[in-house]
Amino acid sequence: MSIGSVPLRFKVEIDPERCMKCGRCVENCSYGVFRKESDNIVVANSRACVACHRCLAFCPRDAIDIYEKPTDYRTHPVWTREVREAVFNQAKTGRIIVAGMGNVLPYPSIFDRLVLDACQVTNPSIDPLREPMELRTYIGKKPAALSVKEKPNGDAELLTKLAPNLKLETPIMIGHMSYGAISLNAQTALAKAVTKMGTFLGTGEGGLHESLYPYQDHMIVQVASGRFGVDINYLERGAAIEIKIGQGAKPGIGGHLPGEKVCADVSCTRMIPEGSDAISPAPHHDIYSIEDLKQLVHSLKEATEWKKPVFVKIAAVHNSAAIAAGIARSGADAVVIDGFRGGTGAAPRVFRDHVGIPVEAAVASVDAKLRKQGVRNEVSIIASGGIRQSADIAKIICLGADAVYIGTSALVAMGCRVCGTCNRGTCAWGIATQRPELTKRLDPETNAVQVANLIHAWTDEIAELMGAAGINSIESLRGNRDRLRGYMLDEGLLNVLDVKTVGA
């Protein structure tokens, strides 16, 4: 091969004076970086390191150091390391490059250019520790008006028929990560956490494993283009149903679960042959218009006796607002907007890094379009893709979202180091893998507590932010752009967000 080796991405070193030769790094590294030789531990292959930090986490003497890019290419503003190595890779293989997690290009974060408001002197703030704060959120259709009839005894009777809504104790849900993409232990931990916190978890398009039936009242089942695991039993077990049209990490294409991740259990849950690739087509082959979508929405509602809200998930793209307006008229109860920083188990790198738009701009434009057309009450807006902290949640709610899905942050709460190699199926933390020797490393009970702690902490922080702004109800924060200001954002983007600049 004329291209030869490329510089190491990570160099791993062991401090011989601190190493106690316990061998835990050898046991924990699922990539074969370390090896035991006689009585010593040696670095056998630094090139295999992905910086998952499993070895660091379990080294009792902090004897391991990992250096990123110890030898780099000549600095060049256009021909970056990543660009050059992608060319090398494709020159060798002739294939599309597949990668995990979300967008890695250094696009500026809009969240980081938005600042929240706080009360001073003339508008008193609220102390969340002493005053009641309402963060309960209802997802689903809201009536445009209520019709009430007064009874002879003076009581009021509600005549308006209300659509089914999901009741969330916090505006934070966990997005769809399928069994197959992540392990059953990881899904179980997430299901336990949302049940404890009074919120919901998406199943992803991989069906619902029997062991998760006890948590079905807190699960949102997904119907994607592959229709894996979909039957009436599956639909009836979910608290809500989500039709997945697109995904922020790979807009315009379907999904691909490699055959090596389709073990016997995954094959039963997905209803596909063991060891076969699970490939979701790019479009739903029965949906080519809003009218087609409306038929599927109504079919799912009819199948579940109109008792469950139906969501529609789309990737954030240039015309998201117009699409969302159509979805609002399709009979769906919520639209999920997945931004281009959304995570994935596996996606073509060119889609992950170059297709789609930020969720901040997409949600703001969708909220504005729905309000302009007078159909904002027809659907709730759920934002996902790039939610990293409680401040992001407060800001996206100010831009018009009702609630959010989190994904990567929930995995980080379980130990994930965002090394971006989920597609390889060798996750050392037992999250994005189906290998029994790796999945058993993840204890559902312990990790459920960690994820619940994260949701609890973020909910408390949102309450503090609301209190500082003098707001005691999440309803009053929703779409409240007066509580936001843009910092160093251009006029065009400020207009899209409908937010004033700082100082105005």
Side-chain angles (χ1 to χ4, degrees), residues 105-318:
L105 293 189
Y107 295 106
S109 167
I110 298 176
F111 279 132
D112 292 342
R113 302 292 177 90
L114 291 171
V115 289
L116 291 157
D117 190 23
C119 298
Q120 299 294 303
V121 184
T122 56
N123 48 345
S125 56
I126 299 171
D127 185 350
L129 298 177
R130 293 179 171 82
E131 302 289 337
M133 304 294 287
E134 184 58 69
L135 277 85
R136 184 172 291 165
T137 302
Y138 290 88
I139 300 296
K141 288 183 186 299
K142 311 295 186 298
L146 293 177
S147 178
V148 179
K149 176 184 176 185
E150 186 176 355
K151 293 182 178 178
N153 63 1
D155 291 346
E157 180 185 358
L158 181 63
L159 299 178
T160 306
K161 187 176 180 182
L162 300 178
N165 274 223
L166 285 191
K167 185 175 78 172
L168 286 60
E169 298 299 332
T170 168
I172 306 168
M173 296 185 283
I174 296 179
H176 291 258
M177 292 175 276
S178 67
Y179 176 39
I182 62 174
S183 67
L184 185 57
N185 278 356
Q187 259 201 344
T188 304
L190 297 173
K192 287 176 179 286
V194 296
T195 302
K196 179 180 179 182
M197 296 307 300
T199 184
F200 293 84
L201 163 70
T203 61
E205 63 173 311
L208 181 65
H209 192 273
E210 287 184 10
S211 66
L212 295 175
Y213 287 176
Y215 312 102
Q216 64 186 29
D217 291 344
H218 292 270
M219 304 289 284
I220 302 168
V221 297
Q222 191 176 67
V223 177
S225 58
R227 308 285 161 91
F228 300 123
V230 176
D231 61 10
I232 189 61
N233 175 57
Y234 174 68
L235 297 176
E236 288 184 340
R237 288 188 180 279
I241 302 168
E242 180 175 298
I243 301 169
K244 176 188 167 187
I245 299 294
Q247 184 175 346
K250 41 188 172 183
I253 61 173
H256 179 198
L257 183 69
E260 53 265 32
K261 277 190 163 184
V262 183
C263 60
D265 218 19
V266 171
S267 79
C268 289
T269 306
R270 290 201 175 217
M271 303 178 190
I272 58 174
E274 183 177 348
S276 64
D277 286 10
I279 298 174
S280 306
H284 288 248
H285 289 311
D286 53 355
I287 300 177
Y288 289 93
S289 65
I290 292 296
E291 289 73 21
D292 293 340
L293 175 65
K294 185 175 183 178
Q295 286 195 14
L296 181 58
V297 170
H298 281 240
S299 297
L300 293 172
K301 291 194 171 199
E302 191 69 36
T304 52
E305 301 178 343
W306 298 80
K307 294 179 179 176
K308 300 176 190 297
V310 174
F311 305 168
V312 177
K313 176 182 177 181
I314 59 171
V317 290
H318 300 176

Side-chain angles (χ1 to χ4, degrees), residues 109 111-112 386-397 404:
S109 167
F111 279 132
D112 292 342
I387 307 291
R388 310 157 298 172
Q389 53 193 335
S390 59
D392 294 348
I393 299 171
K395 292 171 185 177
I396 202 73
I397 290 175
V404 302

Side-chain angles (χ1 to χ4, degrees), residues 66-134:
I66 300 175
Y67 301 94
E68 187 169 7
K69 301 175 185 173
T71 302
D72 212 344
Y73 298 82
R74 181 180 77 86
T75 303
H76 193 287
V78 176
W79 291 94
T80 62
R81 179 187 182 110
E82 290 72 23
V83 168
R84 274 178 270 198
E85 293 192 352
V87 173
F88 291 151
N89 185 338
Q90 294 186 301
K92 290 178 182 177
T93 65
R95 295 178 178 174
I96 292 172
I97 298 173
V98 175
M101 283 296 174
N103 196 312
V104 298
L105 293 189
Y107 295 106
S109 167
I110 298 176
F111 279 132
D112 292 342
R113 302 292 177 90
L114 291 171
V115 289
L116 291 157
D117 190 23
C119 298
Q120 299 294 303
V121 184
T122 56
N123 48 345
S125 56
I126 299 171
D127 185 350
L129 298 177
R130 293 179 171 82
E131 302 289 337
M133 304 294 287
E134 184 58 69

